[in-house]
Amino acid sequence: MTTGRVTYHLNHGVHPPALIGEDGGGQITSARLSRDLDSPAPDRLRSLRAFHLRAEDGTPVARVVTEQPLGTRLSGRPAVYHVLDPHGAPLGRITFRRRRAFRWGRRRWTVEPVAGPVLNGYAGRLVWWALWWPLGLPVRLLFLLWVLMAEADDGFRPPRRIIWRDSSRSAHLVFRAVAEDYRMLRHDLDPRLVNALIALHQSYDPAEGAGSLGWYET
């Protein structure tokens, strides 16, 4: 098992889309992502997911299925996903929570492995959100107006960086929004669970120009 830091990024330019891992030894394809052929029809909030993670030779390594679709902002119901091994045994559960309507909060991704620490990651740092609401949001609205008029790409977004931490506040995984990559700082989690988390996150918060559902639209 690799003990050094590993950085992952999603390559949309190949089919099926590939999660690439890079350490001191170079780059390797960590997983190929493919939607299930019988994946569920999109729900109203487009939160249903069903996909496989495969090795480079096509061998299944994990599967992600929806346990519970996302609720409305009023209900506050999170989206819950199961990650299974090729034989159907659970590897862990991943939960996505949005900010509830009329309440302060940030998007949160929770990873609950069968074995290992539970990790929570919040979108954006508090200091950047404190600047975003009085300064960034008005600029964002003006920028969106310009995008609509000029038919340009929307390149101005709210704070997106995420650091997944355990109960002792130790950081395990960092999503770096500017670089659009994920840096593993520790190796307590099963790599298949890490790949599933990245795939889910990239279907909710994809890189610029990747579509509203990112790779999951392909």
Side-chain angles (χ1 to χ4, degrees):
M1 177 180 294
T2 301
T3 57
R5 293 187 177 183
V6 180
T7 300
Y8 296 93
H9 70 272
L10 182 58
N11 183 358
H12 293 268
V14 296
H15 184 78
L19 276 170
I20 307 299
E22 182 177 1
D23 58 15
Q27 293 187 349
I28 60 169
T29 299
S30 183
R32 293 277 187 160
L33 309 177
S34 58
R35 292 180 61 168
D36 285 6
L37 296 178
D38 58 347
S39 58
D43 58 317
R44 185 168 65 89
L45 296 175
R46 307 182 77 188
S47 64
L48 292 173
R49 302 285 188 275
F51 60 91
H52 276 84
L53 290 85
R54 302 181 183 274
E56 186 70 5
D57 62 2
T59 304
V61 295
R63 183 171 183 244
V64 175
V65 295
T66 303
E67 173 188 334
Q68 173 179 281
L70 191 65
T72 64
R73 289 192 182 274
L74 286 175
S75 72
R77 188 183 68 202
V80 182
Y81 304 95
H82 280 300
V83 184
L84 311 172
D85 74 8
H87 306 289
L91 298 174
R93 187 168 69 167
I94 297 173
T95 303
F96 170 62
R97 292 177 175 84
R98 296 190 301 174
R99 177 181 62 84
R100 295 190 65 172
F102 312 113
R103 294 188 182 183
W104 162 255
R106 294 176 287 169
R107 289 186 170 197
R108 181 174 68 178
W109 288 89
T110 301
V111 185
E112 301 172 87
V114 171
V118 175
L119 306 181
N120 284 291
Y122 294 85
R125 293 183 175 181
L126 290 175
V127 62
W128 294 119
W129 280 112
L131 294 173
W132 167 260
W133 290 113
L135 301 176
L137 183 58
V139 174
R140 162 81 168 177
L141 295 176
L142 291 174
F143 194 86
L144 287 176
L145 180 61
W146 179 81
V147 166
L148 292 175
M149 295 177 62
E151 298 184 355
D153 292 330
D154 176 12
F156 191 79
R157 306 169 75 176
R160 300 169 59 226
R161 180 184 178 94
I162 302 177
I163 303 176
W164 279 270
R165 301 180 186 273
D166 60 25
S167 58
S168 67
R169 303 296 298 164
S170 295
H172 290 245
L173 175 66
V174 179
F175 166 58
R176 304 187 301 173
V178 174
E180 288 290 347
D181 65 16
Y182 301 78
R183 177 165 292 180
M184 284 295 303
L185 307 180
R186 302 180 60 169
H187 299 275
D188 304 87
L189 286 180
D190 188 315
R192 296 170 294 180
L193 194 56
V194 174
N195 289 335
L197 171 62
I198 295 173
L200 280 170
H201 181 250
Q202 280 290 314
S203 72
Y204 276 96
D205 188 11
E208 196 67 37
S212 61
L213 293 180
W215 73 270
Y216 198 71
E217 287 188 351
T218 60

